[in-house]
Structures are given as C-alpha cells and as structure tokens.
Amino acid sequence: MADNHHTHVLHEGEALADAAKTALESSGEQWTKMRAAVFDALASFDRPASAYDIAEAVSNAEERRVAANSVYRILDLFTAANVARRIESANAYLANRHPECLHDCIFLVCDGCGETTHLDDDKLADGVRAAAKQQGFNPERPVIEVRGLCAECA
C-alpha cells in the first residue's frame, strides 16, 4: 500500500527526463536514444497523448517515420517502470512527474477540453484496495478515473 506520509517532488524539464531515465534504469531497462525521444515527445504534451500523437511528434523530431507500434512497446515499458501513466478510458498517456513515488492513480478527466489532473489521495486509494480485498480480490493496479467537466468548461 501507499505511504500516506510522503512529499512529492514534481519534476519538470531536464530534471523530469533525468528522473524518468533513473526510474527506467532502476527497473532493469536501458535508456536508449529512441526511448529518450519518445519520453521527450510524451513530456511535451500538456494533455494525455495517444501513441499515434507521440509517434507523429517523434517522427517530426527525428525526420523519419516512427511506427505507433514501436511507441506502444516503449509506453508499456514506461508504464511498468512508473515513468508514464496510462489514462485507460482515453487510451492515452501522461509523463509521470514523480516516477520515484509508487502509488495508485486517480485521474480527473475533462470531457470538454481533455485536461487531465492526477490526484494523489492515498486514503481513497487504500479504501479501494481494502474494498477489493474484502471481496477476495487481489488488486494489483487500481486506476480511478473520474470523467466530467473541469472548472473552465463547467
């Protein structure tokens, strides 16, 4: 379960890329040129991005075609290493701004503009895990998504 008493360091820019590289290497994977390019593209989006969006951004940056299938494989590695978060209902991804911190995901997704806010509420996440366990279910990766309208769109 998540630690209820911790402080998040939200990385940006080069520090974000360094934190992602460290997290990926800590999971036993290599930080290759292509993985760095995919991460840079992912981190450049201010909203969740699809593998196709990311493939297009990398293709433009690299001046060669990069297939979405290759990007999906890298995103799977990123998700497993806590470098990226997947917005299940949108089949899209966000760079995790604090990859050194492991906890369950809670997302607020605006159906108007697409803005997605990642919340850290360990009490709520722990409650979901406890409810699942009461039913004899072993929760491995709870993801909570709340769809609606942000303050701007409401």
Side-chain angles (χ1 to χ4, degrees):
M1 288 212 203
D3 176 5
N4 291 325
H5 306 289
H6 61 276
T7 302
H8 294 276
V9 176
L10 299 178
H11 302 287
E12 294 184 27
E14 193 62 36
L16 177 59
D18 290 343
K21 179 180 186 280
T22 299
L24 191 68
E25 289 174 342
S26 294
S27 75
E29 297 290 340
Q30 293 181 343
W31 187 257
T32 64
K33 183 180 179 210
M34 178 56 112
R35 291 174 183 174
V38 168
F39 185 79
D40 288 346
L42 173 63
S44 74
F45 287 93
D46 60 355
R47 301 232 179 334
S50 72
Y52 294 95
D53 295 333
I54 297 165
E56 182 177 336
V58 173
S59 295
N60 291 338
E62 299 280 317
E63 297 182 346
R64 65 181 178 88
R65 185 180 176 283
V66 174
N69 284 346
S70 298
V71 171
Y72 269 119
R73 284 191 292 276
I74 292 170
L75 290 170
D76 285 346
L77 285 174
F78 285 176
T79 302
N82 203 39
V83 169
R85 302 295 183 124
R86 184 168 185 261
I87 310 302
E88 305 283 340
S89 62
N91 193 25
Y93 299 82
L94 286 171
N96 184 359
R97 294 181 53 211
H98 47 91
E100 64 282 346
C101 182
L102 294 172
H103 54 82
D104 298 328
C105 298
I106 302 169
F107 294 108
L108 305 179
V109 183
C110 180
D111 290 326
C113 67
E115 179 72 28
T116 300
T117 303
H118 178 216
L119 297 178
D120 296 318
D121 186 330
D122 293 333
K123 185 176 179 183
L124 177 60
D126 289 348
V128 169
R129 284 181 171 276
K133 287 180 180 179
Q134 278 186 330
Q135 296 299 310
F137 187 81
N138 185 24
E140 292 182 15
R141 192 178 56 94
V143 177
I144 301 167
E145 295 182 22
V146 180
R147 308 252 351 173
L149 296 175
C150 69
E152 293 283 319
C153 294

